[in-house]
């Protein structure tokens, strides 16, 4: 795996995604600190709910950790089926949609079964926008750019030619 491509995709998509969460939450009167603490409560439970800046830092770490996994999964998929990089926009939309489905219809319902997926319906427009435009498309475009710059075998040879 090309570490530079992976890191760029994580940083760009992760930043765009969390900024979109801040904007859409802010439109409802919720600040960034509350958003990040909410992210931290996912894996660490309700004890994080009143953790302030510490919880926000943990939430930011959790957010970028999740994004790191999402990018790695796409890079493995692209290594397995490199043809998907030929249709970048379609692939980006589909990957963003897939990430949305997994997050809102699998992951979140496991953590908050009373709120999801029924509660997710009111978030469909903003969640789809964020997952397609801020996650799927940037990941695919950055990975495709990395693949084009490094040529055939770019992922398999990444450990030896990291750059």
């Amino acid at each position: 795996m090309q570490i530079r491509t992976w890191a760029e995709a994580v940083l760009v998509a992760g930043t765009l995604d969390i900024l979109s969460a801040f904007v859409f939450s802010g439109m409802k009167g919720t600040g960034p600190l509350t958003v990040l603490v909410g992210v931290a409560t996912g894996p660490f439970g309700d004890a994080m709910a009143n953790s302030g800046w510490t919880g926000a830092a943990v939430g930011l770490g959790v957010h970028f950790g999740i994004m790191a996994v999402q990018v790695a999964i796409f890079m493995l998929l692209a290594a397995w089926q490199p043809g998907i990089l030929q249709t970048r926009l379609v692939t980006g939309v589909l990957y963003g949609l897939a990430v949305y489905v997994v997050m809102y219809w699998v992951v979140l319902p496991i953590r908050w079964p009373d709120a999801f997926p029924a509660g997710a319906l009111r978030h469909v427009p903003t969640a789809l926008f964020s997952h397609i435009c801020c996650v799927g498309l940037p990941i695919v475009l950055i990975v495709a750019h990395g693949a084009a710059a490094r040529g055939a075998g770019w992922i398999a040879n990444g450990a030896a030619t990291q750059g």
Side-chain angles (χ1 to χ4, degrees), residues 47-115:
M48 294 298 290
N50 296 316
S51 57
W53 287 104
T54 300
V58 170
L60 192 62
V62 168
H63 170 73
F64 277 97
I66 292 168
M67 192 59 63
V69 171
Q70 292 171 350
V71 172
I73 289 170
F74 183 75
M75 290 181 79
L76 291 171
L77 181 63
W80 178 57
Q81 293 292 322
I84 65 172
L85 296 177
Q86 301 305 313
T87 56
R88 296 171 184 177
L89 293 180
V90 171
T91 300
V93 169
L94 291 175
Y95 192 64
L97 183 59
V99 169
Y100 162 79
V101 168
V102 169
M103 289 303 295
Y104 276 81
W105 297 90
V106 178
V107 174
L108 294 175
I110 289 170
R111 173 60 176 96
W112 292 285
D114 294 336

Side-chain angles (χ1 to χ4, degrees), residues 10 13 19 22 24 27 33 44 52 67-69 77 83 85 89 95-96 105 108-109 122 141 144 151 153 161:
V10 170
L19 288 175
F22 292 164
F24 290 126
M27 291 168 54
L33 183 70
F44 297 108
M67 192 59 63
V69 171
L77 181 63
L85 296 177
L89 293 180
Y95 192 64
W105 297 90
L108 294 175
R122 69 178 184 264
L141 294 173
T161 62

Side-chain angles (χ1 to χ4, degrees), residues 128-147:
L128 282 176
F129 171 83
S130 296
H131 285 88
I132 291 170
C133 297
C134 300
V135 177
L137 286 168
I139 289 172
V140 171
L141 294 173
I142 291 166
V143 170
H145 182 266

Side-chain angles (χ1 to χ4, degrees), residues 35-48:
V35 171
L36 291 172
V37 169
V39 173
T41 64
F44 297 108
D46 294 334
M48 294 298 290

